Amino acid sequence: MEDVLEKIAEEIYTKSYVVIDNFVDEIFRKALFDEQTDLLEKGKFRKAAVGSGDKKQVIPEIRSDEVLWMDEENLSPLQQEYWNRVEEIKTILNRRCFLGLKSFEGHFARYPIGSFYKRHLDQFQQVPYREVTVILYVNDQWTEADEGALRMYLPNPDGTERIEDYLPMPGRLVVFLSAEIPHEVLPTKKERNSITGWLKTIT
């Protein structure tokens, strides 16, 4: 795990993003997926909104996923274990990259068939404290035919952009600087499940 944490810190420092396959083992991944499925069947998920505070609203033309926010004061044992792993990421990013991270917030995210999230940044005027985006994919096996990739728009030295697409492979972790990398979720042909969250500079 120490090698993985070092890789995360090094790549965040040098290129602002990192992709780690098999960040969690299959047993833990499946347990998180089963817990998400159970919560979904109990009607706990809600349509995702854009904006924050008084400006928060559901706009399906921009995003059509469903979310269930985790309560840090009432985490399940599985959620707590994942929280602890993110805490390790926070610690090494603070030590190596001096980001001043203080806390984490996260939610289960479900993308039904045909859903998407248009290009956006995770840090914007209403949430300037989101510093690092952390995504863990907990869905079952994925193929190119299932589509639903995370598309990141990455800067080139000459000021142009290049595109990199990453499928939601089970157990894959994606970490990137929230203010620097525009991204979107392309329309999916299979239900797509993740834990998406943000390391923040406030408590």
Side-chain angles (χ1 to χ4, degrees), residues 48-198:
V50 297
S52 65
D54 294 340
K55 296 183 179 179
K56 183 180 288 187
Q57 53 186 319
V58 174
I59 306 178
E61 296 82 8
I62 296 177
R63 66 182 300 187
S64 49
D65 56 318
E66 302 169 356
V67 301
L68 172 60
W69 284 91
M70 295 179 181
D71 178 1
E72 187 176 3
E73 303 301 320
N74 190 30
L75 298 171
S76 71
L78 284 170
Q79 293 169 25
Q80 185 65 63
E81 184 175 347
Y82 179 63
W83 219 264
N84 293 343
R85 297 188 190 198
V86 175
E87 183 70 22
E88 292 181 314
I89 295 173
K90 176 171 77 73
T91 298
I92 199 162
L93 289 178
N94 279 340
R95 191 164 70 236
R96 302 284 193 216
C97 305
F98 310 105
L99 293 178
L101 305 170
K102 295 180 179 178
S103 64
F104 178 66
E105 64 178 3
H107 59 60
F108 284 113
R110 171 182 179 261
Y111 283 79
I113 294 172
S115 60
F116 56 87
Y117 192 168
K118 296 288 190 180
R119 175 174 171 154
H120 63 285
L121 278 172
D122 282 350
Q123 186 188 106
F124 51 95
Q125 187 175 4
Q126 282 77 40
V127 286
Y129 44 79
R130 285 181 178 174
E131 196 71 27
V132 178
T133 300
V134 182
I135 305 168
L136 175 70
Y137 296 108
V138 300
N139 45 252
D140 289 329
Q141 191 54 50
W142 209 267
T143 69
E144 292 277 356
D146 298 322
E147 301 184 9
L150 172 70
R151 171 165 289 180
M152 294 196 289
Y153 297 87
L154 303 169
N156 291 318
D158 64 359
T160 61
E161 283 185 337
R162 71 184 187 280
I163 289 173
E164 289 188 15
D165 289 349
Y166 292 95
L167 292 174
M169 304 303 292
R172 171 172 280 176
L173 183 80
V174 182
V175 182
F176 57 88
L177 295 182
S178 304
E180 293 189 11
I181 298 184
H183 56 285
E184 67 178 303
V185 176
L186 301 178
T188 182
K189 292 186 175 179
K190 189 165 81 171
E191 183 174 307
R192 179 186 189 279
N193 309 84
S194 69
I195 298 174
T196 298
W198 297 272

